[in-house]
Amino acid sequence: MTETNRKPLILVTNDDGIKAGGLVALVKVLKEFGDVVIAAPNESYSGMAHAITVKHPLYAKLVKDKKGLKLYKINGTPVDCVKLAINQLLDRKPDLVVSGINHGANSSISLHYSGTMGAAREGALSDIPSVGFSLLNYSYEADFTKAAEIARDVIKNMLAQKLPQGAYLNVNVPDGNEVKGLKTVRQANGRWVEEFIERKDPRGRDYYWLTGSFKNLEPDATDTDEYVLSQGYASLVPCQLDSTAHALISELKSYETSHK
């Protein structure tokens, strides 16, 4: 197969581990579009954001190798998986990095905590069109049928029209089989109201379990991911690597000093 007519190479990962139902559903769709290489964590790494492993070595075990599909099991975070695949495991740069389908929402501020979205961000850092998919259902028995359909539509468009450099996509899908469609919106302004459950271990030492609830700080806004999800639509939020608050640059000129 020549350079011009070879199939797209799609790198897939997640943060729920190689046995997660969302990964299985996603790979089934991606095989329709090209050759698929899965580089996924050996266990759940939810909430790892953009964490990387620096204190112990990484191991990649080739679990499956057949025409059009390879599966590597890696003892690292989702970002580790993407880094290792791009730099060591693949014989060429992938055409897409796809992460998910996550078990649970990564809308609004949650994308900053998400290992799923960390992996998509890492793909964008290597100038590869990247996307993370999430379903608003935390159960491992969740039905990913509609989320897979949404993923199919998004992947088709991403292959047809490359994202601008530094951009990546965050897609969240409501639970159930009555999803009305997909809306492109902005990230809602929200935050997690965090609480810690305090307990004592058998030796009398205090320990803490993190819990909490999400609070939408703009519940009346109709152009956000939280709103369209509540209306039965999947949300597509375009994200970017540039974290600069551009509107503040001129305002903060007053901070400037000159040292000789």
Side-chain angles (χ1 to χ4, degrees):
M1 184 173 291
T2 65
E3 184 78 16
T4 57
N5 64 6
R6 68 185 180 186
K7 292 182 178 180
L9 178 61
I10 303 174
L11 174 61
V12 190
T13 192
N14 71 349
D15 71 0
D16 293 309
I18 62 170
K19 296 181 179 180
L23 180 66
V24 174
L26 182 59
V27 169
K28 186 176 180 180
V29 168
L30 296 177
K31 287 166 62 178
E32 301 172 13
F33 294 97
D35 294 328
V36 175
V37 176
I38 308 163
N42 60 341
E43 59 183 88
S44 174
Y45 279 84
S46 294
M48 295 300 289
H50 213 96
I52 56 175
T53 300
V54 295
K55 292 186 177 181
H56 61 76
L58 296 174
Y59 297 90
K61 181 179 180 180
L62 183 59
V63 177
K64 182 180 294 185
D65 186 3
K66 62 181 184 180
K67 185 176 176 59
L69 178 65
K70 286 186 177 182
L71 168 59
Y72 291 93
K73 180 174 68 173
I74 299 171
N75 64 321
T77 69
V79 173
D80 287 332
C81 293
V82 174
K83 280 182 173 291
L84 188 61
I86 292 172
N87 288 282
Q88 293 291 133
L89 305 179
L90 301 180
D91 58 6
R92 70 179 196 268
K93 189 175 183 178
D95 297 283
L96 287 179
V97 171
V98 185
S99 185
I101 301 169
N102 189 63
H103 296 246
N106 281 315
S107 54
S108 185
I109 203 71
S110 295
L111 79 88
H112 293 293
Y113 300 102
S114 167
T116 299
M117 292 311 300
R121 189 181 305 111
E122 182 61 33
L125 283 167
S126 293
D127 194 23
I128 301 168
S130 302
V131 57
F133 293 101
S134 303
L135 176 68
L136 276 63
N137 185 321
Y138 290 90
S139 171
Y140 264 58
E141 284 70 47
D143 183 353
F144 288 90
T145 303
K146 280 295 181 180
E149 291 178 10
I150 295 292
R152 180 181 289 109
D153 293 338
V154 172
I155 295 301
K156 182 178 180 180
N157 281 295
M158 291 182 71
L159 288 171
Q161 182 179 0
K162 186 176 180 180
L163 291 174
Q165 186 176 19
Y168 60 103
L169 303 180
N170 181 19
V171 178
N172 285 269
V173 183
D175 191 26
N177 291 315
E178 303 298 326
V179 181
K180 297 177 181 178
L182 176 70
K183 297 284 189 180
T184 303
V185 288
R186 65 177 175 87
Q187 172 188 320
N189 180 16
R191 65 184 176 90
W192 281 92
V193 180
E194 295 179 336
E195 300 174 3
F196 287 87
I197 299 173
E198 182 178 354
R199 294 175 179 169
K200 290 188 180 295
D201 70 11
R203 297 184 179 181
R205 297 173 299 186
D206 293 332
Y207 70 93
Y208 305 88
W209 277 112
L210 175 63
T211 182
S213 59
F214 174 77
K215 182 177 182 180
N216 186 352
L217 298 179
E218 45 180 353
D220 297 326
T222 60
D223 61 341
T224 71
D225 49 6
E226 291 295 326
Y227 176 78
V228 299
L229 287 165
S230 73
Q231 299 301 303
Y233 289 92
S235 65
L236 186 156
V237 175
C239 307
Q240 63 183 20
L241 298 177
D242 183 1
S243 298
T244 306
H246 290 274
L248 285 178
I249 291 177
S250 59
E251 183 176 334
L252 297 183
K253 290 291 184 180
S254 61
Y255 282 42
E256 294 182 355
T257 59
S258 178
H259 295 269
K260 295 181 180 180

